[in-house]
Amino acid sequence: AQSVTQLDSHVSVSEGTPVLLRCNYSSSYSPSLFWYVQHPNKGLQLLLKYTSAATLVKGINGFEAEFKKSETSFHLTKPSAHMSDAAEYFCVGPPGGSYIPTFGRGTSLIVHP
Amino acid sequence: DGGITQSPKYLFRKEGQNVTLSCEQNLNHDAMYWYRQDPGQGLRLIYYSQIVNDFQKGDIAEGYSVSREKKESFPLTVTSAQKNPTAFYLCASSLRTGGAGNTEAFFGQGTRLTVV
């Protein structure tokens, strides 16, 4: 079965330093992949999406992700963390055959002053 | 403005009672989903519907029921059979299911259910 795996449950960075949140996928064909952000007690907001048009995807709030088929990865990055980036981040993909949003376990991003 | 609306935001229920969570969308989406979120466990799929009058069980459907009588609405009932119903519930919708280049899912703001 296709799935997405977020490699880190927590990532801690200092304000102003780069952010890297890791996601690997398993799929027998090119998937659609998404990154969502969730602030406490809120719904999920789409950060960016990959749908096979371009491998480097730019999203909102300075985030971007690169689809690497050879590594089956879709890692989320940001050059400089802000305090407001502290939240839960989810990598989401579809299983094969139909699109039902399938979530990684989430990565909690902690930003220190 | 188009979007997906969940109500209420907070809900308290006594043990043994059924309760229904509302989810409405005006995005003209075919597919709708219900997820449950518990701390440290990510989102788990409860039920989903790809078309009116049809729905499928997800990974944790026991103790829940749904209906899809209208395209815009996908209410979730948490029954007394659900052993541990206290959680954050999220509803989502998407334009369609299946195929490559699928569109993203849009989420409501969630309902926090507490059993007292």
Side-chain angles (χ1 to χ4, degrees), chain B residues 23-97:
Chain B
C23 179
E24 303 277 335
Q25 54 98 359
N26 60 4
L27 300 166
N28 200 32
H29 284 172
D30 294 313
M32 297 188 73
Y33 315 86
W34 274 105
Y35 293 88
R36 170 180 171 141
Q37 186 175 29
D38 296 284
Q41 295 194 42
L43 277 72
R44 293 181 289 170
L45 183 65
I46 304 173
Y47 268 97
Y48 66 98
S49 169
Q50 300 183 57
I51 196 170
V52 173
N53 293 322
D54 183 64
F55 47 83
Q56 308 295 328
K57 292 182 179 180
D59 300 319
I60 55 165
E62 185 176 354
Y64 300 97
S65 65
V66 293
S67 62
R68 187 86 186 275
E69 297 177 1
K70 298 186 299 181
K71 189 175 186 178
E72 303 79 22
S73 179
F74 191 43
L76 173 74
T77 297
V78 184
T79 75
S80 56
Q82 170 50 236
K83 299 303 181 187
N84 185 21
T86 295
F88 189 56
Y89 292 87
L90 283 162
C91 180
S93 68
S94 65
L95 186 60
R96 66 179 186 272
T97 61

Side-chain angles (χ1 to χ4, degrees), chain A residues 30 32 34 36 38 41-44 46 49 51 88 90 94 97-106, chain B residues 9 33 35 37 41-43 45 48 88 90 94 96-98 100-105 107-109 112:
Chain A
S30 293
S32 295
F34 310 87
Y36 287 83
Q38 184 184 33
N41 294 311
K42 298 291 186 182
L44 275 71
L46 180 71
K49 62 181 178 182
T51 54
E88 191 83 10
F90 292 96
S98 68
Y99 176 73
I100 300 170
T102 302
F103 287 78
R105 63 177 177 174
Chain B
K9 187 172 183 179
Y33 315 86
Y35 293 88
Q37 186 175 29
Q41 295 194 42
L43 277 72
L45 183 65
Y48 66 98
F88 189 56
L90 283 162
S94 65
R96 66 179 186 272
T97 61
N102 292 293
T103 60
E104 69 268 24
F107 286 83
Q109 292 300 300
R112 183 163 296 282

